[in-house]
Structures are given as structure tokens and as C-alpha cells.
Amino acid sequence: TMQSSGHRFRDVEHHPLLAENDSYDSSSSEADMAERVWFIRDGCGMVCAIMTWLLVVYADFVVTFVMLLPSKDFWYSVINGVLFNCLAVLALSSHLRTMLTDPGAVPKGNATKEYMDNLQLKPGEVIYKCPKCCSIKPERAHHCSICKRCIRKMDHHCPWVNNCVGEKNQRFFVLFTMYIALISAHALVLCGFQFFSCVRGQWTECSDFSPPVTVILMIFLCLEGFLFLTFTAVMFGTQIHSICNDETEIERLKSEKPTWERRLRWEGMKSVFGGQPSLLWINPFAGFHIRRLLLRAKKGGPEFSV
């Protein structure tokens, strides 16, 4: 413990006393950093994110060119094609917003005398500082070793979105898991109809590809769809459960006793998805401003590197 400005710092990882809404804006450099595009330079995360996109593109290719375009039923192809591609766009958009949204990072090095004075704490009051990023930790914040930052209401770090899931991007992560689960289920249903149609027609005019190639492509899509459906459906359910209980995955695993007043289930959902229930809840484009994104990109690259 060390003395500073009449207050005591304590280097710990958990149970800070600061409120979630406390902010730090005394440093102009940090303000400039906040205007930049958020992106984590983690090799494993970037590979996983690219793989996610490639797998969705592969599924879209098989569904469109192997199953739907060769079909003789025009409306069957059009309806399923539009539905699948819309879900794919929503899934990838949710993925991008999860990856490129600041999850709620606490500014580095804000444990300064000026900031302490602005907090107007009582003499001798204990506040908690992260020894790894030298920041004063708000309540329920945890340090991510990959992002190298303390993240407000950090749920977990997900390599598939190359980012932490935290206070500011949890909504997009929930939408990502939901839309991936939906397109996986849709792909499995289409595969079932296609196999039935091909077997009934003895594989004649079933696809523009040869029967062996068609079978291999569809089997791989079925495996992909089953694995992604299982994983994302479980993750979606876990996220909704955590939101309703106002408890992050880290807090649950560490069995941390709540020092905060837990929100009611419906209040938790509204706090994450924003406002009263509406179609905006399932819209990953809500609040997106392309002009602001372009301006941030011009100001200089990713917010920080790993």
C-alpha cells in the first residue's frame, strides 16, 4: 500500500470501490486514442476471426451454388436464398461490430494525482489500482492479459471475435451467436431436403457438380453447421442467462459475491440491448455511423497493439 494525495492505492485484481460510470478524461492523449478504431493485434484472434468469415462464406457458397441455384423450384430457391444471405450478412455485421467496438476499456495510467483530486474521495479511502496497466479499476472491471487492459464488466475474451466481450459490445456478441445459430440451423435443414431430393432423383440433375463432389461439400457443411449450431446456441443461452442474472462469466466462475445492486432480469436486458424492446434489439447496424468510422480511421490506425 502506498500513500498518494491523502488516499491509499492498493494493487489488487478484484473488488474495486469505484462506480461503473466513473470516467477519465483529464488526459488529452487518451481522448485522442478513444477516437481511433478499436482493433486487437493478436495473431491467434485474427486467424480465428478470418476463419469465421471463411466458414460463413463457404456455407453461403454451398447453399447458393450447390443447393438452391440448380433447384427447379424457383420460389423455394428465392425465398431460402434471400433468407440465408440476409442472416449471413447480419451474422458477419454483428461479428464486425463485436470485434471493432471498444468493450469498455479503462484508460491506461489514469492513477494520477490530478485524477485522484477529481474523484473527490475522502482522506484515507481505499481505491484499487491494477498493477498491470496502472489504471484505477472501476467496480466489476477485470484485466485481460490479451487486450492488456482492464475491461468494464468483462465477460470473457473470445478469440473468434478477436476481442473481449464487455460492457459496450456484449449486445453485438449476443447477436453474433444468435445469427450464427440461425444460419447453421437453416443450412442443416436445407442439407436434409437436398439429400432427400438427390436420393429420390438418383442424383440426376441434383447439382451442377458431380455426385461425389456434391456429397463431400454437403457433408462438410453438415458437420460445420452442427458444430457451430451447438457452440453458438449454448453460448447464446449462457449470455442471456448472465444478462438476466446481472452476472458476468468471470464473476460466476470465480464465485464472486456481488457488491453491487443486481438489476432485475428485464432491466438487465434493457441495459445491454438499449431501451424498450424493439427491432433495434436485433439490428447490429443500430447506432452505426460510417462517417464517424471513416474519420476515426483517418486519425491513425488501431487503438493499441498486442
Side-chain angles (χ1 to χ4, degrees):
T1 303
M2 64 180 180
Q3 300 291 333
S4 176
S5 302
H7 308 293
R8 291 181 292 165
F9 283 111
R10 187 171 293 171
D11 292 339
V12 296
E13 287 296 325
H14 311 292
H15 308 303
L17 299 179
L18 298 183
E20 288 182 18
N21 294 327
D22 287 341
S23 60
Y24 170 65
D25 56 6
S26 61
S27 171
S28 59
S29 61
E30 286 289 352
D32 292 337
M33 293 290 271
E35 290 300 318
R36 298 184 182 180
V37 175
W38 179 275
F39 182 73
I40 307 297
R41 289 183 180 175
D42 175 54
C44 176
M46 289 189 285
V47 169
C48 289
I50 292 172
M51 284 181 58
T52 302
W53 275 67
L54 291 178
L55 288 170
V56 173
V57 170
Y58 170 80
D60 189 64
F61 168 79
V62 176
V63 167
T64 302
F65 293 98
V66 178
M67 301 184 194
L68 298 181
L69 287 182
S71 175
K72 295 180 180 180
D73 191 331
F74 175 77
W75 288 112
Y76 171 83
S77 299
V78 170
I79 294 173
N80 283 287
V82 170
L83 178 60
F84 189 88
N85 281 277
C86 285
L87 290 175
V89 169
L90 291 170
L92 294 179
S93 300
S94 300
H95 181 273
L96 268 182
R97 295 214 67 182
T98 307
M99 182 170 61
L100 301 179
T101 298
D102 176 355
V106 179
K108 284 184 178 180
N110 65 354
T112 63
K113 182 179 183 301
E114 293 77 15
Y115 184 49
M116 293 290 298
D117 293 337
N118 289 335
L119 290 177
Q120 298 180 347
L121 299 174
K122 298 178 181 179
E125 185 173 354
V126 178
I127 62 174
Y128 294 98
K129 183 185 72 172
C130 176
K132 298 177 181 177
C133 59
C134 296
S135 63
I136 298 176
K137 295 183 67 174
E139 190 174 34
R140 304 182 71 183
H142 292 271
H143 186 87
C144 175
S145 59
I146 299 175
C147 295
K148 302 190 185 304
R149 297 288 284 274
C150 284
I151 307 297
R152 295 176 184 269
K153 289 185 66 176
M154 176 181 169
D155 189 85
H156 68 288
H157 184 95
C158 178
W160 294 104
V161 297
N162 189 33
N163 201 1
C164 275
V165 177
E167 184 177 66
K168 295 183 179 179
N169 68 346
Q170 187 175 25
R171 168 176 169 258
F172 302 123
F173 181 75
V174 172
L175 293 181
F176 168 66
T177 58
M178 181 183 75
Y179 286 124
I180 289 293
L182 288 175
I183 63 172
S184 298
H186 191 194
L188 289 173
V189 171
L190 291 176
C191 280
F193 279 114
Q194 188 72 8
F195 272 119
F196 177 77
S197 176
C198 290
V199 170
R200 186 178 60 181
Q202 297 182 347
W203 297 93
T204 58
E205 299 182 1
C206 173
S207 172
D208 294 336
F209 296 87
S210 64
V213 173
T214 300
V215 170
I216 292 174
L217 292 173
M218 292 176 60
I219 287 177
F220 187 79
L221 178 60
C222 286
L223 292 174
E224 176 192 342
F226 177 76
L227 290 175
F228 268 75
L229 174 61
T230 303
F231 175 76
T232 55
V234 170
M235 184 60 70
F236 175 78
T238 301
Q239 288 292 303
I240 295 297
H241 180 267
S242 296
I243 293 171
C244 290
N245 288 337
D246 195 13
E247 181 182 51
T248 66
E249 187 66 15
I250 290 179
E251 291 164 350
R252 187 186 67 83
L253 292 175
K254 293 186 176 181
S255 300
E256 294 185 3
K257 294 182 179 179
T259 57
W260 61 94
E261 184 178 351
R262 285 187 170 178
R263 296 186 178 97
L264 298 175
R265 293 186 177 183
W266 198 240
E267 292 300 319
M269 291 290 289
K270 289 194 292 185
S271 70
V272 171
F273 290 92
Q276 295 297 326
S278 69
L279 290 177
L280 293 177
W281 278 25
I282 59 174
N283 179 12
F285 300 102
F288 177 74
H289 302 285
I290 190 168
R291 173 184 260 176
R292 184 183 302 172
L293 181 64
L294 293 175
L295 288 175
R296 287 182 179 180
K298 289 180 180 179
K299 289 190 176 182
E303 199 219 309
F304 66 95
S305 305
V306 174

